[in-house]
Amino acid sequence: AGSGGGVPDKDEPKKANEAILEKVQPMKDELISMSRTLLPLLFGEGPYILTVVVELPGSKGKEESITFKLEPDLMPYTTLFFLRQVDAGLWAGTSVIRAASHVIQADPRPNMAAFKQAGMTSVAFQEYNPEFPHKKHTIGLAGRPGGPDFYVSMIDNTKNHGPGGQGNYDLPAEADPAFGTVIAGHDVLERIHKLPTKEGNFKMLTEFVTIKDITLQR
């Protein structure tokens, strides 16, 4: 006698993922709407320009800066999430830990406890806007759920970090949030990108770059 189970539908996982994403869409829309309201109330009308002060290994205390421009119109929820971290001073004293071929990645260490205490470790959902893909020098959130680590794309990562690019996660159709662009300090980025790394695919820096602070230009 047959099992009666029928032939498995190879598209079933994809359909299940799509059903989950559709179910949570109203929640996402509400969070996006709330973020659009809160951004100007908390941080002014923008534009939102951030100064990232870093100290490279062996620089003998020399501070250098990189400038980010965030995308509140296209990515309001993630912009609000990151600005709240910045406003709370959470990124002061953290590190750039990775210089892979495709990204430079920042990490809360050694201050992860402060992020957890503030309840700002990760986003509630993976916001993504196809009008703002992961082009070179854009800023994205790493992981699922995204955060607190963020990265700067050193190549065009539209495919690798866009929808369906990270298939090892539970909902492979999702994307990393891209929410800003590096607009100054590209020379500093390039020097970080060339720093020595440890063996292995992750390309962790032999010596971390210190993020002295990230501040919103007023």
Side-chain angles (χ1 to χ4, degrees):
S3 64
V7 178
D9 185 351
K10 64 179 181 180
D11 292 328
E12 191 64 32
K14 180 180 179 181
K15 292 177 180 177
N17 286 337
E18 291 174 348
I20 293 171
L21 293 174
E22 183 178 354
K23 188 173 183 178
V24 300
Q25 190 60 48
M27 177 271 291
K28 296 180 181 180
D29 293 340
E30 181 64 23
L31 287 173
I32 288 171
S33 177
M34 291 174 59
S35 299
R36 292 191 192 281
T37 300
L38 288 171
L39 276 168
L41 293 176
L42 295 176
F43 301 107
E45 292 294 337
Y48 304 126
I49 309 296
L50 303 179
T51 300
V52 184
V53 178
V54 297
E55 182 182 323
L56 275 65
S59 65
K60 299 181 180 179
K62 179 183 177 182
E63 295 183 352
E64 302 181 79
S65 65
I66 302 166
T67 307
F68 293 172
K69 181 179 183 294
L70 305 188
E71 290 291 333
D73 293 335
L74 298 176
M75 295 291 289
Y77 171 73
T78 310
T79 294
L80 179 63
F81 170 80
F82 195 72
L83 283 176
R84 289 180 64 228
Q85 290 180 332
V86 168
D87 189 58
L90 296 177
W91 285 105
T94 57
S95 308
V96 177
I97 65 164
R98 182 187 188 196
S101 60
H102 64 306
V103 295
I104 291 170
Q105 185 167 326
D107 181 275
R109 68 189 75 185
N111 297 346
M112 187 61 182
F115 282 76
K116 290 181 178 179
Q117 186 174 8
M120 298 185 194
T121 57
S122 58
V123 292
F125 73 99
Q126 300 296 112
E127 184 181 28
Y128 183 76
N129 193 316
E131 295 181 30
F132 195 72
H134 290 271
K135 298 290 189 180
K136 184 176 181 180
H137 293 153
T138 55
I139 305 154
L141 290 183
R144 292 290 188 281
D149 287 32
F150 69 88
Y151 57 85
V152 175
S153 286
M154 299 303 290
I155 62 171
D156 188 333
N157 281 314
T158 298
K159 183 177 180 180
N160 291 336
H161 292 276
Q166 303 283 299
N168 55 312
Y169 293 114
D170 291 337
L171 295 174
E174 289 186 320
D176 288 353
F179 63 98
T181 309
V182 175
I183 60 171
H186 298 93
D187 58 323
V188 182
L189 278 183
E190 290 299 331
R191 280 188 281 123
I192 294 174
H193 201 214
K194 294 175 182 176
L195 289 173
T197 59
K198 297 180 180 180
E199 293 184 4
N201 294 332
F202 188 76
K203 299 300 180 184
M204 181 172 286
L205 290 172
T206 304
E207 293 184 77
F208 294 165
V209 174
T210 300
I211 298 175
K212 305 292 288 187
D213 205 358
I214 303 180
T215 55
L216 175 63
Q217 296 182 14
R218 300 288 186 176

